[in-house]
Amino acid sequence: MKKLFGNIGGLKASHIRRLEKFYRRRLPPQFLISFELARDISKLSHEIRRQIGLLINRQGKIAYVIVGDYQRIVIPDTSDYRVAPGRLRGLRCVHTHLVDEPLTTDDLTDLALLRLDIMAAITMTETGLFHKAYAGYILPNSAYEKPFQMIDPLNPGELNIGCLDLIQSLETELAHATSFHEADIETERALLVSVTTEDRQTALSSLEELKDLAISSGIEIVGKMLQSRRKVNSKFLMGPGKLQELIISALQKCATLIICDQDLNPSQMRSITDQIDLKVIDRTQLILDIFAQRAQTKEGKLQVELAQLKYLLPRLITKNTAMSRLTGGIGGRGPGETKLEINRRRVRDRIKRLENDLLLVRKQRSQQKSKRNKKGLPVISIIGYTNAGKSTLLNTLTKSRVHTENRLFATLDPSSRRLKFPKDIEVIVTDTVGFIKNLPKDLMVAFRATLEELEGADLLLHIIDISNPRFKDQIKSVEKILLELSLEGIPLIRVLNKIDLVSPETTEKLSRSFDATAISAREESTLLPLIEKMKESIHHPL
Ligand SMILES: Nc1nc2c(ncn2[C@@H]2O[C@H](COP(=O)(O)OP(=O)(O)OP(=O)(O)O)[C@@H](O)[C@H]2O)c(=O)[nH]1
Ligand SMILES: [Mg+2]
């Protein structure tokens, strides 16, 4: 006999036997439930004063018998029935309600969270006779206004609702939506989520940046969701209603990935992945992933892997299904060789090894550096928010061809070029990795290489993309990071870039209010005032 799930404490042996017998019942597949079975669970439920739930598969077999309390049942782990993204679970739930009420919010949450085929509640008369059945299902298409469809209450004679046909048509509609995307199976389809206590505008603009980050990582965006809360939910970040909405939306849009704009602590990460059959990552992981894709040098690669593993370590727990999703990384790009069986100890060992390797690489680099610096040329470092135009400026200034791209974090590895001012003054100009708000701590450490070079700079050029609607926040983020790196003592010129994209009046106004020099890094002819300022600063250091 199969085991019963839920709350069987305090039940008589005879009740338990009757409950167990439900496993032997077979249902005509087109019926939501058979009349006889509905009658029998109503009767027993009435006797024991507890809800009884059945999870029924598409062959009409009863896969789970669940005993609840007076108000609810708790659906057990049904991961045996785990299904592909964009599919339903292959199980419908029929359970009793001891009070005469239709599907509750809890019922609908379960329907959505577990992606059940159908959720149904059976109500009974005061004497325990089967009265009515209420049923609902998830609508497979986000074009509908509501996420659920309710079936009109069914009388005992109306239980043949063409159940299997209904489920199959839902699946067909879902499969149809999925098949659009199957051609491009490699591309992740992400739903972006932000749960914020800040004002809506700030949250929206941060979400926009998250979108740019995701696109830079080669991810397709299928939707965005924002929830403002006075306090974040410590367990799920968002409220239960929003989580439900998220899961349905992910299902309807065939999302393969959820990206959260706020950092998730290890237990939130676990709680959410336990609820959703999808990978869930946060902003930090996304940035780490971009860095992992882009790192070119040996040192860069070691640093990124180290940062990824340090991020992963507290999130590893034994025997959790979410783990494989975590360690899979985006698009299966896990950190280094750790994609396979992974455990904390191996991760710790690997971290130690990486740290040692890094020490070695750094030693070599500092030797090279001391050779390079022999001449003692002044160093001008170009810094700024990612995608501001730093590499473009380096190229135009020094007529070189460093890679530039309209993507966040196009540059990861710093490059230096010589620049000759008139009158034979030579300087070294260095391009650096871009800054971003809330730069992950481990990455900050990881990019010490670049940042160390900044310490030695004689002048910083802070490049600001004034065509970006978020440029004011970006200035603040950059200046905050400079403070954190204790670089505020180095002379700095603020440079407003991409003036070709805004009106001359705007440029004029902003140059004054930010005490900055305006340029278009692509246009050599616009650089003269900046070059003058640079010379002046190098000649007459403060
Ligand atoms: N219209 C316009 N586009 C510019 C200008 N300067 C740079 N860009 C573009 O902005 C994008 C980003 O330029 P990059 O030089 O790669 O920016 P970056 O600051 O080095 O970016 P990361 O290395 O990713 O941090 C590229 O598509 C450039 O062509 C400009 O003056 N005007
Ligand atoms: Mg760059």
Side-chain angles (χ1 to χ4, degrees), residues 292-311:
Q293 286 177 50
R294 304 280 165 77
Q296 298 288 332
T297 59
K298 183 167 181 206
E299 184 173 5
K301 285 180 185 162
L302 289 173
Q303 283 163 335
V304 175
E305 188 182 345
L306 186 61
Q308 281 181 311
L309 289 178
K310 282 190 170 164
Y311 190 80

Side-chain angles (χ1 to χ4, degrees), residues 386-392 402-405 407 409-413 431-434:
T386 177
N387 209 42
K390 300 176 294 297
S391 304
T392 309
V402 168
H403 175 76
T404 68
E405 200 180 348
R407 251 185 164 195
F409 300 114
T411 308
L412 285 194
D413 299 305
D431 180 21
T432 57
V433 57

Side-chain angles (χ1 to χ4, degrees), residues 319-338:
K319 272 186 127 186
N320 186 303
T321 46
M323 197 172 82
S324 56
R325 275 171 263 158
L326 268 174
T327 52
I330 301 172
R333 287 184 302 268
E337 56 158 10
T338 54

Side-chain angles (χ1 to χ4, degrees), residues 207-218:
L207 202 54
E208 271 304 298
E209 184 175 273
L210 189 72
K211 185 175 133 200
D212 290 345
L213 280 167
I215 292 170
S216 292
S217 175

